[in-house]
Amino acid sequence: MERQKSIQRFLVLGIVVLIVFCGYLYRLMQMQIAQGAQYLQQAEAGTVRQQVVKAARGEIVDRYGRPLAINRSGYNIILDGAYLPGGTKANDVIERLLGLMDECSEEWNDVLPISSQPPFQFLDGYDTEVAQVKKNFKVNEYSTCDDVMHWITDRYQLGEYDEASGNYILRDDDGTVLKTYTPQQMRRIAGVRYGMDLQEFSIATTYTFAEDVDITTVAKVKERDFEMPGVAIEESAIREYVSGDLAPQIIGQVGQIYKEEYEELKNKGYRMDDIVGKEGIEKYFENYLRGTDGTRQITLDAKGNVVKVQETKPAVPGNTVVLTIDKDLQRVAQNSLEKQIKHLQATAPAGKGREANAGAVVVIENKTGDILACATYPSYDINEYRTHYAQLLADPAKPLWNRALLGEYAAGSTFKPSMAVAGLTEGVITPDSTITCTGVYQALGSYKPRCMYVNGPITVRHALQVSCNIFFYETGRRLGIERMNKYCSEFGLGQPTGIEIAESVGQLSSPAVKAKLEPGVPWYPADTVQSAIGQLYNQFTPLQLANYVATVGNRGDRMDVNIVRCVKNYNMDTTVWDNTPKVAQHVEGTPEAFEVTVEGMVMATQKGGTSYSYWGDYPIKVASKTGTPETFHLPNSTYICFGPADDPEISVAVVIEKGWHGYTGAPVAKDIFDAYFFGKSSDQAPAALGQLLQ
């Protein structure tokens, strides 16, 4: 009985095994015969990868469509985390790549703010970057460069410094030497590894090792890719600045995203390996210039060969930003400013202009508020920005600083037209009333400010012509600081101009400002009269001075200032955003006040005026005002003008640091007038590429 039960159990078990075997056999036959072709195709297909297709960045052009910032095709060397080995093997690959770059005389990205040669030191002028390094390696802010280098070599497995050999030696746990690096080798590899960290290098995020390399370098990298796994060539749109020295502080530059930026930018769809605007138009119009990346699906077979490439989402290029700048006039402004400063250095007496070393000039179109030119001296070339950054940053003349928009200067006597309009409108002076100039102002007791000349009884027109201090001391005293500043604010002094990029607001001299700067010191009548001639705490940008004099020329209409005329799509056939000119404010001055003031400014360019020697017999009637504001060092030169005086088209403001005499800015303004009205300094008329872009 028991034997019979055992036979039955074995029989049932055998049947079950047979059923399972038949099932496997059926599935095997189905896979090999019925569906064999399908599975063979899948096996041969291998894997599918998604690749981001970078969108071209929008371009930047001048008001006539002439290019300033464009794109061209180029090649970048990238490190791909999907193939780059880890640990010390990554260092070996980087070391080989660096050697190849030396052979090809190519540069690569290195953002580690530590000297390239021992003894290692933090780079001067890189305080922010040094602080970021210390933060990344979690050392305190007082750590030395040696402390930071210790943690760098530890993190990147670059060994420890050996005093006997003077090298960095990497050992395993039992002390066996695995690798020896010279200090220079260690520093170079560390620079690359640190850059990879900043870019959050991973399988998903590549690292751009070098940009815009020569085609011969591309060939050599491809020839040696077997010994450098993870090193690849990427074709990319390279940002190129057609005339890199033209308005660099306005156009700005682009750069890679860093960790501190990425926290904000990742929510806007940016990747760590994207390029983003860092300064100027490139930064402030990033949302328009940035394109929309596309995607590409790449199918590989089992051997890693590409069998199919399909664009699943096309890349959309960014928009084109049309500036208000006239490329030709910008060149004239830059060249003339530089020429005049160098002329002063060569010919002016010591202590009276020879020390001039910097300045700015702004040209505004009166009817629109468009900036036609905006120049700063000294300056730089955007195309050399990255390679010369350390020198530019350390230069005491500050070529990176946009003096035209960010520099704040006392206006000096260029402030007087605002006082003329205010005094005439408020009735504290009339067109024909006189104030007697004895050379010394006597109305404030022991405080006796002076005038350069003894002008005798003088009217407001004559006072503007010869820049009489005494007349405007008295006008300011009669007005009082509150009424003075009411009009000056309406003129835009100490107020935002409306420009689309960063600017300084400056300040009007006032009791409130004095209270902040000199707590507990009262406001004296002497402060009011000094403020009335553009001194004391008055501080304005050249841009504000240009818009202020344009407002005088417009007889009270202060325009919003524009540096961007419009934004068009990449093909320039559709307007995406238009910047319509508008009046920001109307100065509440009487028509007579403005006409009398303009007449006095015209007299300043005629015989007996402060800048007659530059404008005598000029075919266009020009209104101007000079200024020689005192500073803690040598006096600056300030100069404002507009023309034609009866119906102004353009206004100009020139500031020359340590320029001494106000009229030293007049030659710069005259060169600009010559170019604008007569085309004397331009090889190509602005209309050569067609009409003004709308």
Side-chain angles (χ1 to χ4, degrees), residues 24 32 250 300 321 472 519 532 566 591 601 627 663 666 670:
Y24 276 112
Q32 289 187 336
I250 297 296
L300 309 172
V321 175
F472 289 101
C566 62
M601 294 177 70
Y663 55 75
K670 185 175 180 294

Side-chain angles (χ1 to χ4, degrees), residues 365-379:
E365 188 176 56
N366 279 61
K367 300 296 190 296
T368 63
D370 287 354
I371 297 176
L372 302 181
C374 185
T376 288
Y377 179 83
S379 190

Side-chain angles (χ1 to χ4, degrees), residues 404-438:
L405 272 61
L406 302 176
E408 297 182 1
Y409 304 91
S413 293
T414 60
F415 194 74
K416 291 173 181 175
S418 67
M419 293 296 93
V421 171
L424 289 164
T425 300
E426 292 294 321
V428 300
I429 57 173
T430 69
D432 299 314
S433 63
T434 60
I435 293 173
T436 300
C437 171
T438 63

Side-chain angles (χ1 to χ4, degrees), residues 359-648:
V361 55
V362 178
V363 185
I364 285 183
E365 188 176 56
N366 279 61
K367 300 296 190 296
T368 63
D370 287 354
I371 297 176
L372 302 181
C374 185
T376 288
Y377 179 83
S379 190
Y380 65 100
D381 189 319
I382 312 176
N383 292 317
E384 299 176 356
Y385 173 80
R386 296 183 66 178
T387 55
H388 294 78
Y389 179 72
Q391 299 96 305
L392 291 169
L393 195 65
D395 190 335
K398 299 181 179 180
L400 296 175
W401 190 36
N402 190 342
R403 285 175 163 83
L405 272 61
L406 302 176
E408 297 182 1
Y409 304 91
S413 293
T414 60
F415 194 74
K416 291 173 181 175
S418 67
M419 293 296 93
V421 171
L424 289 164
T425 300
E426 292 294 321
V428 300
I429 57 173
T430 69
D432 299 314
S433 63
T434 60
I435 293 173
T436 300
C437 171
T438 63
V440 179
Y441 189 57
Q442 306 281 359
L444 297 179
S446 60
Y447 178 67
K448 300 182 185 298
R450 306 183 69 85
C451 186
M452 291 184 65
Y453 307 102
V454 177
N455 295 300
I458 191 170
T459 64
V460 63
R461 293 182 183 87
H462 189 195
L464 288 168
Q465 179 187 25
V466 299
S467 197
C468 176
N469 283 349
I470 303 299
F471 186 94
F472 289 101
Y473 286 146
E474 180 60 18
T475 301
R477 187 189 68 80
R478 294 177 185 180
L479 280 168
I481 193 64
E482 290 79 12
R483 284 196 290 182
M484 283 169 48
N485 284 353
K486 170 187 176 295
Y487 285 89
C488 291
S489 294
E490 292 176 359
F491 274 113
L493 297 172
Q495 303 295 318
T497 66
I499 193 170
E500 297 85 0
I501 60 177
E503 67 168 333
S504 292
V505 177
Q507 66 185 22
L508 278 166
S509 187
S510 69
V513 170
K514 184 175 184 178
K516 289 180 181 179
L517 298 176
E518 301 183 60
V521 180
W523 182 265
Y524 297 109
D527 297 329
T528 299
V529 301
Q530 279 296 315
S531 300
I533 62 164
Q535 294 283 168
L536 203 62
Y537 308 114
N538 282 312
Q539 294 283 302
F540 314 119
T541 66
L543 174 62
Q544 288 175 323
L545 292 176
N547 201 32
Y548 147 62
V549 72
T551 304
V552 176
N554 290 344
R555 276 60 171 180
D557 283 341
R558 174 163 63 90
M559 305 300 294
D560 252 347
V561 171
N562 309 310
I563 194 71
V564 174
R565 187 171 185 83
C566 62
V567 177
K568 292 182 172 290
N569 67 347
Y570 197 78
N571 295 326
M572 299 283 284
D573 55 16
T574 303
T575 299
V576 176
W577 174 79
D578 194 23
N579 201 354
T580 304
K582 62 179 180 181
V583 176
Q585 186 167 16
H586 182 77
V587 180
E588 296 300 323
T590 64
E592 182 185 40
F594 278 105
E595 291 307 324
V596 170
T597 299
V598 171
E599 288 169 10
M601 294 177 70
V602 170
M603 290 168 62
T605 61
Q606 296 175 343
K607 192 171 183 179
T610 52
S611 58
Y612 167 70
S613 59
Y614 299 99
W615 297 106
D617 300 323
Y618 200 71
I620 291 173
K621 188 186 292 186
V622 178
S624 73
K625 187 69 195 76
T626 56
T628 312
E630 297 178 5
T631 68
F632 291 110
H633 305 289
L634 296 172
N636 291 333
S637 165
T638 55
Y639 189 80
I640 57 174
C641 64
F642 59 83
D646 296 332
D647 186 17

